[in-house]
Amino acid sequence: MSSPAWRRHSVGDTKVPFCLQSCVKPLEYAVAVHELGTQHVHAYVDKEPSGLKFNKLSLNDEDKPHNPMVNAGAIVVSSLIKPCSNKAERFDHIMEYLKRTAGGEFVGFSNATFQSEKETGDRNYAIGYYLKEKRLCSIEVNCESASVMAATLANGGICPITEERVLSAEAVRNTLSLMHSCGMYDFSGQFAFHHHACLPIYSYQNKSVVNLMFAAYSGDISALRRFALSLVNMEERDYDARTALHIAAAEGHTDAVVFLTQVCKVNPHMKDRWGNTAVDDALQFGHSGVVAVLQEYHSAYADTAAEHPETEELQKTALDTVKVVV
């Protein structure tokens, strides 16, 4: 994970290469808009969700692909970039942009994947001889370089490693808008319906959630105490529905877990989008001390909730406790 402020966190096999596949589409579109402008690009491809499968043979009433995120739209966008150059030069041109968005970190190419796509791409042959552009799907990254690419988009087109402006603000704005409205293919409407509140504006509230999560990740008790005294909701969730308690438990920060439970009275039963509670995360990463604290708190929390069902009363009690500790 990489943030625009250049904070990084990685767990597991983050340097194992994998192919971008369709994740190259928004980056390809951003390059096209950066070089050619919005009006020129959208003279050839529309910007509306299609409600159809990503590889559907379909155009809109104006005989344009519905958007740049479906295969037909990606083919058209590819054809707009350096149209007078040969295939190798065009591929190298896109690769150069991707390497810049990744801040010079790993970006490669899988010939094995390319050959496989070449042999099985019958449907894409039918929509514009897609093989000519198919090499883009075979571009390789790893978790770390891909996270820097995402951070470059989140940072308005400026790579957080090199501080180089790789993409224009116009290109980034359009790309993020289309990723939100069309990027989940025929599930885009459902995605926008459930996640609209947290995406359009990087508000003070959203910033406080990020800061809260980083404080929990680093086990920073002083920062957690400041948030509690500032009336930040200590049960705020991130995109994966994880709370600060999930993060602290997963990282094995016993003191932070004690503060969040004993002082802030955070609900230990809250589940992330995978259905895991904080104690599940502690168990998964082998933090036995944290597991013991949370298991004891589970029983105490259930008893307290039964005696004091009013949420406001519990929160007021927790705030008073923080003031006493300070």
Side-chain angles (χ1 to χ4, degrees), residues 73-190:
I75 294 167
V76 170
V77 171
S78 293
S79 71
L80 297 175
I81 300 172
K82 295 288 183 182
C84 296
S85 301
N86 62 44
K87 289 184 288 186
E89 291 171 343
R90 296 169 67 191
F91 178 76
D92 289 343
H93 183 68
I94 295 292
M95 281 288 282
E96 180 62 27
Y97 264 103
L98 296 182
K99 289 177 179 178
R100 288 164 62 195
T101 61
E105 298 208 0
F106 173 77
V107 179
F109 174 73
S110 171
N111 189 59
T113 301
F114 172 62
Q115 293 300 327
S116 175
E117 298 277 7
K118 180 179 178 180
E119 293 174 2
T120 60
D122 292 344
R123 176 175 288 270
N124 287 324
Y125 273 112
I127 38 180
Y129 298 103
Y130 193 27
L131 177 61
K132 294 181 180 179
E133 318 300 336
K134 198 68 175 181
R135 294 177 68 188
L136 295 182
C137 293
S138 305
I139 291 174
E140 284 188 330
V141 295
N142 58 37
C143 291
E144 296 191 5
S145 56
S147 72
V148 179
M149 292 177 175
T152 298
L153 288 177
N155 201 33
I158 299 173
C159 177
I161 296 180
T162 62
E163 297 186 349
E164 175 195 3
R165 173 165 288 285
V166 183
L167 299 166
S168 66
E170 175 191 18
V172 172
R173 180 199 65 204
N174 291 357
T175 300
L176 295 180
S177 296
L178 285 173
M179 288 173 69
H180 177 50
S181 63
C182 309
M184 300 298 287
Y185 300 139
D186 49 324
F187 191 73
S188 295
Q190 287 279 359

Side-chain angles (χ1 to χ4, degrees), residues 177-253:
S177 296
L178 285 173
M179 288 173 69
H180 177 50
S181 63
C182 309
M184 300 298 287
Y185 300 139
D186 49 324
F187 191 73
S188 295
Q190 287 279 359
F191 179 84
F193 182 83
H194 289 290
H195 297 284
H196 70 282
C198 62
L199 291 178
I201 301 175
Y202 187 61
S203 65
Y204 172 79
Q205 180 182 7
N206 291 332
K207 184 178 180 180
S208 71
V209 172
V210 173
N211 291 336
L212 175 62
M213 297 306 164
F214 272 112
Y217 163 70
S218 59
D220 190 340
I221 305 296
S222 297
L224 292 173
R225 184 176 292 114
R226 285 198 304 273
F227 292 133
L229 288 172
S230 300
L231 300 182
V232 170
N233 180 2
M234 303 301 281
E235 294 182 348
E236 285 279 12
R237 297 168 177 256
D238 65 10
Y239 179 79
D240 291 321
R242 304 181 79 201
T243 65
L245 186 58
H246 282 87
I247 304 298
E251 294 299 323
H253 296 309

